């Protein structure tokens, strides 16, 4: 693969499918092992920002909601 001027690469469709990567939905991480080899892996997608709406009651103030994003 060739890296673009902006540092991007296109992941082939067969790799996306085999790794379960969904465009615009899946986060990925790059990991390096002890021997210096690099690996790509899917990352956990549940961040505190993505899940805050599930735990914030509708009656919360803006300040209370902001406090959830800071914890």
């Amino acid at each position: 693969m060739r890296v673009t001027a902006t540092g991007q690469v296109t992941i082939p469709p067969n790799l996306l499918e085999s790794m379960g990567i969904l465009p615009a939905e899946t986060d990925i991480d790059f990991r390096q092992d002890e021997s210096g080899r690099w690996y790509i892996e899917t990352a956990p997608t549940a961040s505190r920002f993505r899940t805050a709406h599930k735990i914030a009651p509708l009656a919360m103030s803006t300040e209370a909601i902001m406090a959830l994003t800071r914890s």
Side-chain angles (χ1 to χ4, degrees):
M1 282 177 242
R2 186 168 304 264
V3 179
T4 67
T6 59
Q8 297 175 335
V9 296
T10 299
I11 302 173
N14 62 327
L15 286 179
L16 291 173
E17 185 177 338
S18 69
M19 292 183 73
I21 297 173
L22 302 172
E25 292 185 28
T26 306
D27 293 330
I28 59 170
D29 282 334
F30 295 93
R31 303 277 185 210
Q32 189 175 29
D33 68 14
E34 303 81 32
S35 66
R37 290 185 177 187
W38 284 93
Y39 296 88
I40 183 175
E41 61 188 21
T42 56
T45 56
S47 76
R48 60 186 172 169
F49 302 105
R50 291 183 181 159
T51 58
H53 71 282
K54 295 179 183 177
I55 60 171
L58 294 177
M60 290 182 80
S61 68
T62 301
E63 186 56 40
I65 294 171
M66 292 304 293
L68 282 175
T69 65
R70 291 187 206 108
S71 61

